[in-house]
Structures are given as structure tokens and as C-alpha cells.
Amino acid sequence: MSGDSYSVILVHSTSHAMRIEKLLGERGVACKMIPVPRQISSDCGVCIRILQQDVEPARRAVAAAIEIQGIVPIQGGLR
Amino acid sequence: MSGDSYSVILVHSTSHAMRIEKLLGERGVACKMIPVPRQISSDCGVCIRILQQDVEPARRAVAAAIEIQGIVPIQGGLR
Amino acid sequence: MIYFDNAATSWPKPPCVVEAMMHFMAEVGANPGRSGHRLAVEAARVVYGAREAVAQVLNAPDPLRVVFGANATEGLNLALHGLLRPGDHVITSSMEHNSVMRPLRVLARNGVELTVVGCSPQGILDPDDLERAIRPTTRMIALIHASNVTGTVLPIAEAGHIAREHDTLFLVDAAQTAGAYPIDVHADAIDLLAFSGHKSLYGPMGTGGLVIGDRVDVARLTPLKQGGTGSRSEHEEQPGFLPDVCESGTPNAVGLAGLAAGARWVMARGVEGIRAHQMALTEELLRGLESITGVTIYGPRDAQRQTATVSFTIAGMETSEAGLRLDDDYGIMCRVGLHCAPAAHRTLGTFPAGTVRFGLGGFSSTEEVATAVDAIAALARKAS
Amino acid sequence: MIYFDNAATSWPKPPCVVEAMMHFMAEVGANPGRSGHRLAVEAARVVYGAREAVAQVLNAPDPLRVVFGANATEGLNLALHGLLRPGDHVITSSMEHNSVMRPLRVLARNGVELTVVGCSPQGILDPDDLERAIRPTTRMIALIHASNVTGTVLPIAEAGHIAREHDTLFLVDAAQTAGAYPIDVHADAIDLLAFSGHKSLYGPMGTGGLVIGDRVDVARLTPLKQGGTGSRSEHEEQPGFLPDVCESGTPNAVGLAGLAAGARWVMARGVEGIRAHQMALTEELLRGLESITGVTIYGPRDAQRQTATVSFTIAGMETSEAGLRLDDDYGIMCRVGLHCAPAAHRTLGTFPAGTVRFGLGGFSSTEEVATAVDAIAALARKAS
């Protein structure tokens, strides 16, 4: 996995993150809950990490159901 | 038991009744929680039934610890 | 032993409920929505699962608008104290539980205008009376879905329609019905629905809450409590979004694990199926009690128009004595007295003496009903 | 797997806690304080037992003045919203959790005067600063007993003395200390003490509450909710006596069964014994972390002056990354970030980056501490 690049979906609340996890799971988009990288501002302590290549499918899966704060790429370390 | 006569200790709340049950138990006074006889007014749905002969020991056991609404004799049926 | 106190809390619970709670205690255990580690995330999943399961039973469109609290009472207080302001007018019925009447009496002392629409001696509400009570300042109609005393079902679909037409919020107290009687938050135009988790949703005590519809302006909803939510942790101000705004402090995650299992159990059996089973038993209980000389039944006396809760009195025997004898001599557990609903008992004409209440549940049986009817017949004979 | 998130909720729980909950679900099950039948009475006994057990741990004189709610947050909200009125002055510290700060911000917008007394960068409060903040209108001093970020213990005995001298109420947030640190409500002149049931009292989530001393005029205490209490059922007004005035709706009886078992387990081990065990572990953790180049520890760095909660950062590594690596690579579960306590992090100088928090508990071991210290050493090496 070390060569992969990632983005994170930023949300208001852990409850929102759980809803998104469910929506992505139903569409076969792999994701993982991680603590929000501190250089990124967010309302919530956790965010949803996805593969960079899944950003658009994820955006579509989430769009109608729930308001998010954004999807931003992350660097390196947060494997 | 059918020949015994009883009184009931009337309380504000079931929590108070439980405290009294404990206090009486510590002093060896037998008691039983029963629904408050309807001709008797009480704040609470349950009261503590004791043998008529235990009224004074019960009064002493309870006096310092908790405010009660009264101790009144009951007739017949509520065995 | 016959447990006919399901209107207070259902018992026993389905085995899956207890198993879900045990699993949570042993294998999950962490605080949901606070930390980001694996157990905390798993706990958050459990809590979110409860939101989805409850939303599904009630046909509520958005699980994130299901907010949890200690019980239906907290849900009702959140809706009433959270939305009503001095000068607002609120309408309720004369069949309400004290979980609605007591908050409304406090609000009425603080400038909220209150109208209590009378119901018939069977506890039946005429929707026309409701509509006539509406004023330009009416901000909310608050109705119990089914009486906790007589089981009488109130016309919430009609009431929802009236509320929508007059652009007022509609709050339903579904403590007695959620899981036991078909509810469609969406179709019935319900803006706020308070539910109990530990009655007909078969979760443990300590669970309940409020479904908040999209006509409710969350920015105008004042929560009962503020505190840590795991969100907007940089801010000393309460977050403004659902469900966090209404859920401060550590939630009852183990209870919600049980509630999720209970609500799924209800979905698997089907609310319609549960309702059919309980209607049949209620019909048997009503017919059995009707056949006993000296027994007076309150409410509609029609299983189609009530839940599986039946209230009655026995001529010549106080309700308190009936309760004690049923417990001591017959092993039948029920609730006697006023059931925290003095307004309802006034409406029924049973104040202050009260009634004996049998609350059947999902595990009640024909045999139990027959045994209980025989017990009442024996008590009535002795009392006459 | 190492669970170092006990400051959020303790895990695992003692086996007796889970057993008490199971026993309740299987054998008791009824709604306490509502009906008069045998199971309802037994449930009421269980709930009362929890009041006694909690009162005993805290040396609170009257178990009927222990009121239960969903969590410590509810206890704090009850004390703050229930007693403070516009024009009242309230003093708190700069180390508070949002469970105190968020209600106070709401109250401050509504006319309550608020003073936040600053603490040192170690989170230490000088009692003289507290006393200097007192005004003639000061109605309450509200202090966290020990910081949920650094474990720093605040001088509550001195603060209680000051409050008593100036005839103002003293509220203690004991979420982090009840059960883990000696507390004497009576001797320390504490008028109001909010406790968490699911942390160091080892009960399940969904339990907590407020101990209300006899200097608090209950007639002036406005409850957060009104509703059915099983008492004064003839009345549509909330009863005025404790604990009923503050406990509307069905209580979390199964949770309280667990809390009673947890509090008794604490009493059997002894708070002093638990404290000694945790001090020893905290000392090992502090000395271990101090020896690692690049690690900065916040708070007093002295096990005598803090609970078993330790906050630190690693040079060159964000707290969020440290949290993820500890979980993924080492199986260590902790909480990173701001811990719902932005004021405390501002005081410590760790805002907005936050810290890594290790919260040790009653089941933590020397081996776990050593493993965790090694893990941090490895992360610090990689990051440098």
C-alpha cells in the first residue's frame, strides 16, 4: 500500500462518518476511519480515508445523502 | 397471617420506600412493599406494610433518616 | 409468572438483545465518536446501526435525524422545551401522559399558551376539535399516539394533516406504539416523534429519543444539555448540526447495541405481524373480561382501535388490592393506579381511584390471557 | 491489544458488572418505581442499591441525594442550568472540559456573569486566584477535579473551603476522579458533585449523575426535564423532592445494576488501593516517556499530583499520525487531539495541535506501560 496516494473525506461528526462508511461500503468503495490529520481543519476527530482514485465515485455516493466538509488529498505518513 | 393487623408507612417516592426497607431490614422489622391502598392519599404508588405491633420500632428506625408522610393502619384485605 | 406490565417496559427481551449487549461489553466497550482507534470506531458503528434500525421501523428518512436520549420523556422534553417560546401556542389532548403534561405546565407558567383538547370518555379524540383549537400563534400540536392507560389510538394521520395545513409542527409521543403499531413518520407528516427504546422496540431501559423531521429548523432547537460531542472540539460553543447538537456527553452505547438488536428483531418479525398477534390477544382479553360480572373496561373495547393495553376495574375491590392479589396469589404482574397520567384518568372518569392495567407484549400468549381472565373472574366473585 | 483510553471510558469492566447486567436483563427486567409488583420492587431495589454504592464511594451522606442521569455531562448541566440565573456570577477554571464550558457559554449569553480563572501551563490552579475572583454576586464555583487532558488534580479541598467561607455553592466535575481518587463530599465541603458511572466507577456507559448536598435548596433547582416519576401521579406538576424531581421517565435500570456492581467492586478494592496502583503505573509511564528524546509531556509530570492520565507530543509527528500508528502498528488504543477541552489545551499551549493522551485504568499493567513506552520510543526515532 505504501505507493498509494490517499484523500480524506472531512465530516462534521462521527455519526456522519458512519453514514458515509455505510454508503461507500454499499458501493464497494474501500475506506478506513482515521484521526483527522491536524494540518487539516475539521469539525470532527475522525475522517474517512479513501484511495485517491476513488475520490469521484465517493463524491457521487455521498452527494445526495449527506453534507460533507470536503475531500482533500493527504500526504505520506497516514497509511 | 390472616389474623394479623397491619399499618402502612406512606412515603413520597419509591426511592424513599427502598431506603426505609433497608433501614427496617437492618433492625429486623419485617416489611413488604405493596401498592398504596387507594382510600389513603399518598405521593407514591407503593408503601411499606408492617405489622401493627412494629409501628413504634419502625417509627424510631426511620425518624432520623428520612421524612415520611405518615404511618396509618389498614383494614382487612391487603394481606 | 405472567408479566403483563409491558406498557411500562417490555420483558422478557428477545435473546438477541441481551447477546448484543454482552458482545458490546466484552468485545467493543469503547466510547463511540470520541477517539479514532479501532474499538472507538466499532462503538460508533454500533450506535449508528441503532439510528438506522430505529429509522427503518418508523420509516424516518434520515438516520442522522434520529437523536438518542435516556427515554421517550427526554425526547418529549427536547421537543417541547427546545422549540416552544413565550407567546407560542401549543395544543395537546386530555389523554396525555405526564411526560407531556408536566413539561407543558412548566412552559405554560413561562408564557407559552396551552390548549388541552378534550377527548371522549373512551379517550377518543375528534380531529375537528383539534382543528378548531388552532390559532394564528399555534406553533405545535403534541399528541400521544396511543394512551398508556387504555391503549386508545389517537388519529395521528388526520392530526398530521391538520398540522401541515396550518403550518404548525406536529409532535407525536410514540412511547406506547413505536414497534407495536405501524408508524410512518414520512407519510403521516410527523415533524417530531418521541420514542421509547425499551418498550415495543425491545431494547433495554436507558434508551429512547426523538426523530426530528426536516421541517424542524435545527438552528431554532435549543438542546436540554450542552457538552462534549467529539465534534467541533476547538469550540466552546455547542455544534449546530444533528445529531450532535442534542447528544452531549458519552452515549449509552451498550444500551444502543441492545436497541439496535431489538429494532432489527422487530423488523424481522414485521410491525404488521406483531400488531396482528397483539390484536388477536387483545380481542381475547377484552372478550374474556367483558364476560365477567362486576368488571368495567375503559377505552374503546375494540382491539382494532387500541394497543395491547387494557384498563379495567373490579366492583367492590380497590385497584391496589387487585394488584396485590394478582401478584401474590396468581403471579400476575400488572400496574394499578394512575399510570403517571392524571389527565387521562380524569377523561376516563377513573380519577383518582385509577384502574388495573394489563399491558400485553410480544411474548404474551393465549394461555396467559386465559389464566389472567380466570384470575380476574375469581377476584370479581370474591369481591361481589 | 492495549487499551489506554480509560479516560474516555474504562474497559474492560470487572466481570461482576457484566454479570449484574445480565442478571437484571434475565431475572428482574421490570420498570423500577412505577408498579408495585415483585419485579418492579426488585428493580427499584437495584436502583436504590446503586445510590447507596455511589454515595459510599464518595462519602456522600444521603443516598437519596444521589440523582442519576445519562452521564457526568447531564449532572453538570443539571447543576449549572438548574441553579444559575441571570445576574448570578459563576467562577470556573481554564482547565475545564466542554461539558462545563459549553453550558456556561450558553448561560453567559443569557445574563449569567462568568469568570474563567487562569491555570498555570501545567494546568495548576492557585486557590488565591480563585478567591480573588469572588464577587458579592458569586453564586457558584465550578471546578474540574482532575483534567481529562493532563490528569492535573485541582485543589478542591481549598476551593471548597473558599466557597463555604464566601457562602457560594461549590460544584465539582469528578468525571475523571470518582472511584480513582479519594473524594469526600462531606469533608471537602462539596455542594454538587457530577460523576461519571462508566469511567472509574466501572459501570456501563449510560450512567452518571449528580450528588446534591444539603446546602442546595431543592426548591430553587430547576430540573432539565419533567415527566412521569411514579410519584405524585395525581398531579400535572413535577414533584419537588429528591431524587424524583431530577429523574423523570424510565431510568437506565440495567445500567444502574452494572454501576452498583462497579461501585461495590471499587469499594472492595478500596479507592486508596486503586489510587496507589495507578500512581505507581503513572510514575513508570512518566519516567519512561521522559527518557525518550523528542517527547514532550504536559501537566505536572508527577504521579502524586495527577491521575493516571498522561498527555504528550512527539517532535516531528502529528498527534493524528501517532494515534493511527499506535493503533495500526502496535495495537495501542489512545485518544489524540483536543479531548473536548479546548480551554485546557489553550492553557497548556497545545492548541490547536492537541496531544496524544494515554489514559490508564484499573486493569492496566506494568507490562503494558513498558510496551507502550517502547512503541513511543520507536515512533520518536522514526520521526526525528
Side-chain angles (χ1 to χ4, degrees), chain D residues 285-321:
Chain D
L285 177 59
L286 288 167
R287 298 299 81 81
L289 291 174
E290 276 176 350
S291 70
I292 304 169
T293 307
V295 167
T296 306
I297 306 171
Y298 301 90
R301 303 168 58 153
D302 175 354
Q304 301 275 347
R305 302 172 74 190
Q306 67 184 85
T307 62
T309 293
V310 175
S311 255
F312 59 94
T313 51
I314 302 169
M317 182 175 286
E318 281 192 34
T319 61
S320 48
E321 179 155 2

Side-chain angles (χ1 to χ4, degrees), chain C residues 180 182 270-282 303:
Chain C
V271 175
E272 294 287 354
I274 291 170
R275 170 76 183 140
H277 169 246
Q278 296 201 341
M279 265 204 293
L281 287 183
T282 305

